[in-house]
Amino acid sequence: MCNSGGTVELFFTLYFYRVIFLFFGGIIMKLTLKGGEVREFENGLSVSEIAKEISMGLYRNACACRINGEVKDLRTVVEEDCELEIVTFDDADGKHAFNHTASHIMAQAVKRLYPDVKLTIGPAIDNGFYYDFDCGDKPFGPEDLEKLEAEMKKIVKEGSELEKFELSPKEAVKLMEEKNEPYKIELINEHAEKGENISFYKQGEFTELCAGPHLMTVSPVKAFKLTQTTGAYWRGDAKNKMLCRVYGTAFPKASMLEEYLQMLEEAKKRDHRKIGKDLELFTIMEEGPGFPFFLPKGMTLKNTLVDYWREIHREAGYYEIQTPMMLNRALWERSGHWDHYKDNMYTTVIDDTDFAVKPMNCPGGILVYKTKMRSYKDLPLRMGELGLVHRHELSGALHGLMRVRCFTQDDAHIFMTREQIKDEIKGVVKLIDEVYSTFGFEYHIELSTKPEDSMGAQEDWDIATDALKAAITELGYDFEINEGDGAFYGPKLDFHLTDCIGRTWQCGTIQLDFQLPERFELEYTGSDGAKHRPIMIHRVVFGSIERFIGILTEHFAGAFPTWLASVQIKMLPIADRHLDRIYEIKKQLEAAGLRVEVDDRSEKIGFKIRSAQLEKVPYMVIVGDKDIENNTISIRSRKEGEIGAMKVQDFITAIVEEIEEKEF
């Protein structure tokens, strides 16, 4: 028989003592949540337990957390007041933990089906994850990926919790020896020098060396796809063994996976390498891997972008300069690149002196500044350069125009006083916004802070970081913090644009630099007659013109707006007897500055129209007997189809206006 009165009395008694214990014991902690809300929780709760107290919805969707800005596992126990942000798959850090867990699920499936395969590393990446496996002489093929996906589904259905534990380096090596995982032992031995314990995650029978963070269980990884296999050298070094890299992607919902796979299919259709070949824009040849060749039509496109760049920079008060492609070692040592960037530089010896092909334009721009004494009246001094730079990239990383070994960087360097910093940053932000809006791109901004490999005083870094924050905040822009990803000489704002199928690309950047003016002893004479040190901004808008062309090609799927198109008008005579009139009109169009080609092949007009459509030409001008009789031309638009008959001058007026307005 239940004594309900005694039960109620016991409940209130326990509750009373708990309140007294918490109050007098001082173990209530205050957590500042996202949005600034401050809530009190019992000391010693895990972040997962805190999420459950906040809401069951957050608990179910939580993937990871940030404690005082640092990404942590949901298993982390909170024992003091802090800023706590619990993140879901919608957050980049949450997505990273989700994908990292998916990579462990894949590795577990591999060990179940192919126990002799050796594990190496399996990180999360921007759009999913990968894992490198030593498969011996037989790398995974498409049929293996199907088997692995089926086994991964079984593992997710089992719903194992992920358990984190730590071992001493000696114990960790012993565990991996028992499992016969030589690559893991190599990683442990490298980490052992720090004298710290080694962390592992266990799910079911599978144990993986890993720092995390991870989901609490495998169950949320409901939708995934293994997308491809490639070769990859261990540690990215061609001297090491070739491994089998398996790529995949994962989502909480099947509908999200389906949407992503559709985007991948669309991306394949838009591949700039294929379109670049079809439209005769550029090519990469085996004689120069990573060094693109621009063909005549590609040069027209590139030069149009360059002309636009020059136009907007003249209006914004920039002077254009050009600096040498090769400078001596002493310069690169002084700039810091020889110590911080040498592995990415091409070097040679001239007259017993070390030289480097420039990977960046900034040291040359600094030397231009030093060509004469500057006054405060000269500042801000804005100098732009379309400089061809060379950087060593691993062959496996090369990808069309997106990842090359030489490219034209649309650099500019601004020298200014401390009082001018904020206004100059604002000016660059507005310029970048104007350019991206012209091409129809949306974008978001990241503020990248001081990296571990940096130079200069912390005070200068703080001033520079605060100046970047203040400038974009006053302009009304939101931004994300990218901890530790700044340049070695200063913090930066990175502009990530979004193309028409939702992919993001990092292009523009603004880097605020107190260090190089100091290292090069730059000076200007102030209004007080004394010598002062200027501050420097490094910035690009396109980033790399070559890469920007690749992005534009995929964004527009090769159907460039009229002002950018290499061929703006294709002229199609219906019969050979109409050619004389076609060439008369061609002269008129070219006199107006339009880019025109004539298809004078002895083919039917329908064939010529289809060819022009495949070439993605914005306009077709067709001339037949009726057009000659009426002194008109017949117009077809790539976008609207048949427009009808027009007078030549009316067509010229309309298309020139479209080009001047940069419509798309």
Side-chain angles (χ1 to χ4, degrees):
M1 185 173 179
C2 176
N3 183 350
S4 60
T7 302
V8 172
E9 183 178 291
L10 177 62
F11 171 80
F12 280 109
T13 300
L14 292 173
Y15 180 77
F16 173 77
Y17 279 113
R18 181 173 184 271
V19 171
I20 294 296
F21 177 65
L22 292 176
F23 182 79
F24 287 101
I27 56 172
I28 291 290
M29 57 184 178
K30 292 183 178 180
L31 304 184
T32 304
L33 306 178
K34 184 177 181 180
E37 179 188 3
V38 178
R39 291 184 59 172
E40 295 183 346
F41 295 89
E42 182 180 346
N43 182 292
L45 293 177
S46 70
V47 176
S48 178
E49 292 170 320
I50 293 169
K52 186 183 287 188
E53 288 200 18
I54 295 173
S55 82
M56 286 303 297
L58 179 61
Y59 171 73
R60 285 191 296 268
N61 293 310
C63 294
C65 68
R66 288 190 285 267
I67 298 176
N68 294 329
E70 186 177 353
V71 182
K72 295 281 189 178
D73 204 292
L74 293 171
R75 297 161 188 77
T76 304
V77 174
V78 185
E79 298 180 311
E80 59 185 9
D81 297 354
C82 65
E83 293 182 2
L84 174 65
E85 189 174 355
I86 300 170
V87 297
T88 66
F89 187 82
D90 293 332
D91 183 276
D93 289 328
K95 191 172 296 183
H96 188 276
F98 190 97
N99 282 316
H100 201 175
T101 303
S103 79
H104 279 214
I105 296 170
M106 178 174 68
Q108 183 179 5
V110 167
K111 293 301 287 186
R112 281 187 179 182
L113 298 179
Y114 309 96
D116 292 334
V117 167
K118 306 305 177 194
L119 304 176
T120 65
I121 58 170
I125 54 178
D126 285 346
N127 295 310
F129 58 90
Y130 71 79
Y131 208 112
D132 289 345
F133 301 100
D134 185 347
C135 302
D137 297 329
K138 189 184 177 186
F140 294 132
E143 67 283 353
D144 297 303
L145 298 192
E146 291 180 11
K147 293 177 184 177
L148 289 172
E149 285 182 358
E151 192 63 34
M152 289 172 70
K153 289 177 183 176
K154 292 179 184 177
I155 292 169
V156 172
K157 194 172 182 180
E158 291 166 10
S160 298
E161 292 186 2
L162 280 83
E163 304 169 28
K164 184 178 182 181
F165 64 93
E166 294 185 350
L167 296 175
S168 69
K170 185 176 180 180
E171 292 171 324
V173 168
K174 183 180 178 182
L175 176 62
M176 291 296 104
E177 286 176 341
E178 292 171 357
K179 294 182 176 294
N180 192 20
E181 297 291 356
Y183 295 95
K184 299 295 185 184
I185 293 170
E186 181 180 332
L187 294 170
I188 292 168
N189 286 333
E190 289 179 0
H191 191 78
E193 298 175 1
K194 299 179 181 179
E196 301 171 352
N197 282 346
I198 310 296
S199 67
F200 291 84
Y201 281 82
K202 183 177 185 296
Q203 57 196 55
E205 82 288 353
F206 178 72
T207 300
E208 171 70 299
L209 167 71
C210 187
H214 282 282
L215 305 181
M216 298 297 288
T217 81
V218 299
S219 296
V221 188
K222 299 184 186 302
F224 47 82
K225 179 71 177 175
L226 302 184
T227 53
Q228 65 171 325
T229 62
T230 64
Y233 292 109
W234 171 234
R235 300 295 186 85
D237 189 338
K239 297 176 183 177
N240 292 334
K241 185 167 185 178
M242 176 69 78
L243 306 172
C244 178
R245 176 171 294 180
V246 180
Y247 284 94
T249 190
F251 294 89
K253 297 178 182 178
S255 59
M256 298 169 72
L257 173 63
E258 182 63 27
E259 182 180 337
Y260 177 74
L261 295 177
Q262 288 176 359
M263 185 273 287
L264 289 183
E265 284 301 311
E266 181 63 26
K268 286 180 183 177
K269 298 175 187 175
R270 294 170 177 265
D271 191 325
H272 74 285
R273 294 168 297 180
K274 181 180 184 303
I275 293 174
K277 180 180 179 181
D278 293 343
L279 299 187
E280 300 178 359
L281 301 177
F282 74 93
T283 186
I284 306 288
M285 300 188 187
E286 62 180 20
E287 291 85 354
F291 299 94
F293 287 71
F294 275 86
L295 307 178
K297 290 181 180 178
M299 277 306 298
T300 299
L301 170 59
K302 186 175 181 180
N303 286 334
T304 302
L305 283 174
V306 167
D307 290 343
Y308 171 61
W309 184 91
R310 287 191 166 119
E311 175 190 332
I312 60 176
H313 281 77
R314 278 196 302 269
E315 292 173 356
Y318 286 78
Y319 299 99
E320 186 175 355
I321 62 170
Q322 185 178 71
T323 62
M325 196 176 296
M326 189 182 299
L327 296 162
N328 69 22
R329 173 176 176 169
L331 176 78
W332 300 109
E333 286 179 332
R334 192 172 187 183
S335 70
H337 289 91
W338 198 267
D339 294 329
H340 295 269
Y341 206 74
K342 184 175 181 293
D343 290 343
N344 294 92
M345 296 166 67
Y346 295 111
T347 61
T348 189
V349 177
I350 302 174
D351 297 333
D352 299 323
T353 301
D354 289 331
F355 275 74
V357 180
K358 65 177 179 181
M360 295 163 183
N361 297 306
C362 36
I366 288 172
L367 293 182
V368 172
Y369 180 90
K370 288 173 68 73
T371 54
K372 67 177 185 178
M373 189 60 211
R374 307 287 178 175
S375 159
Y376 73 96
K377 295 180 180 179
D378 299 321
L379 306 183
L381 177 60
R382 310 181 188 104
M383 297 191 298
E385 178 176 12
L386 295 162
L388 186 64
V389 300
H390 291 71
R391 299 179 185 178
H392 176 61
E393 298 283 357
L394 296 173
S395 58
L398 301 176
H399 179 75
L401 296 180
M402 303 301 194
R403 194 79 165 193
V404 292
R405 287 171 168 161
C406 77
F407 55 91
T408 307
Q409 196 167 47
D410 66 313
D411 246 328
H413 299 98
I414 303 173
F415 302 89
M416 62 207 164
T417 68
R418 286 179 179 255
E419 294 75 24
Q420 293 168 337
I421 290 175
K422 194 189 300 181
D423 285 341
E424 288 305 302
I425 294 170
K426 287 181 178 180
V428 178
V429 173
K430 291 175 182 176
L431 185 67
I432 291 175
D433 178 75
E434 176 187 345
V435 171
Y436 291 175
S437 298
T438 296
F439 296 102
F441 288 123
E442 295 181 354
Y443 62 89
H444 71 272
I445 302 173
E446 289 185 1
L447 171 61
S448 298
T449 58
K450 184 180 180 182
E452 291 184 11
D453 180 24
S454 62
M455 60 186 190
Q458 183 62 47
E459 180 184 358
D460 288 342
W461 279 86
D462 292 341
I463 293 171
T465 304
D466 290 343
L468 291 172
K469 285 181 181 177
I472 52 177
T473 299
E474 288 182 16
L475 287 172
Y477 288 94
D478 294 325
F479 62 93
E480 301 171 10
I481 300 291
N482 189 2
E483 292 288 353
D485 200 43
F488 65 84
Y489 46 76
K492 59 178 181 169
L493 297 175
D494 288 327
F495 292 75
H496 298 259
L497 57 83
T498 304
D499 68 15
C500 65
I501 59 174
R503 297 172 301 178
T504 58
W505 308 90
Q506 196 272 305
C507 290
T509 187
I510 304 172
Q511 302 169 354
L512 189 54
D513 183 3
F514 284 61
Q515 311 310 322
L516 290 187
E518 188 71 35
R519 291 175 78 97
F520 281 89
E521 300 177 338
L522 302 188
E523 292 181 337
Y524 69 91
T525 304
S527 57
D528 57 358
K531 301 297 184 187
H532 298 273
R533 188 81 72 215
I535 311 300
M536 184 177 179
I537 283 177
H538 310 245
R539 45 110 295 189
V540 294
V541 180
F542 294 144
S544 151
I545 290 184
E546 287 75 6
R547 185 167 180 264
F548 199 73
I549 288 173
I551 294 169
L552 287 176
T553 301
E554 298 195 359
H555 180 61
F556 292 116
F560 297 103
T562 305
W563 73 277
L564 270 182
S566 301
V567 178
Q568 296 165 327
I569 303 162
K570 198 81 165 186
M571 303 199 67
L572 312 177
I574 291 179
D576 288 349
R577 64 180 179 275
H578 306 124
L579 276 171
D580 289 344
R581 178 59 177 153
I582 280 281
Y583 282 111
E584 287 177 14
I585 299 168
K586 180 175 183 284
K587 289 181 180 179
Q588 291 178 261
L589 298 177
E590 289 177 333
L594 303 174
R595 298 189 284 270
V596 186
E597 278 188 359
V598 174
D599 187 344
D600 58 4
R601 294 174 295 174
S602 297
E603 300 285 356
K604 293 183 178 180
I605 191 64
F607 179 87
K608 293 180 180 181
I609 290 172
R610 284 192 296 275
S611 294
Q613 288 171 334
L614 290 174
E615 293 173 21
K616 304 181 186 293
V617 178
Y619 289 98
M620 290 168 250
V621 170
I622 302 168
V623 175
D625 292 336
K626 191 173 182 180
D627 297 296
I628 293 176
E629 181 183 341
N630 296 328
N631 196 28
T632 59
I633 51 178
S634 296
I635 309 300
R636 283 185 66 90
S637 162
R638 179 182 64 200
K639 179 181 178 182
E640 301 172 16
E642 188 172 343
I643 294 176
M646 293 181 70
K647 295 291 185 182
V648 173
Q649 190 55 51
D650 291 342
F651 174 65
I652 290 174
T653 300
I655 196 171
V656 167
E657 182 179 345
E658 177 185 336
I659 290 169
E660 289 177 348
E661 294 296 322
K662 294 183 171 58
E663 296 177 14
F664 63 91

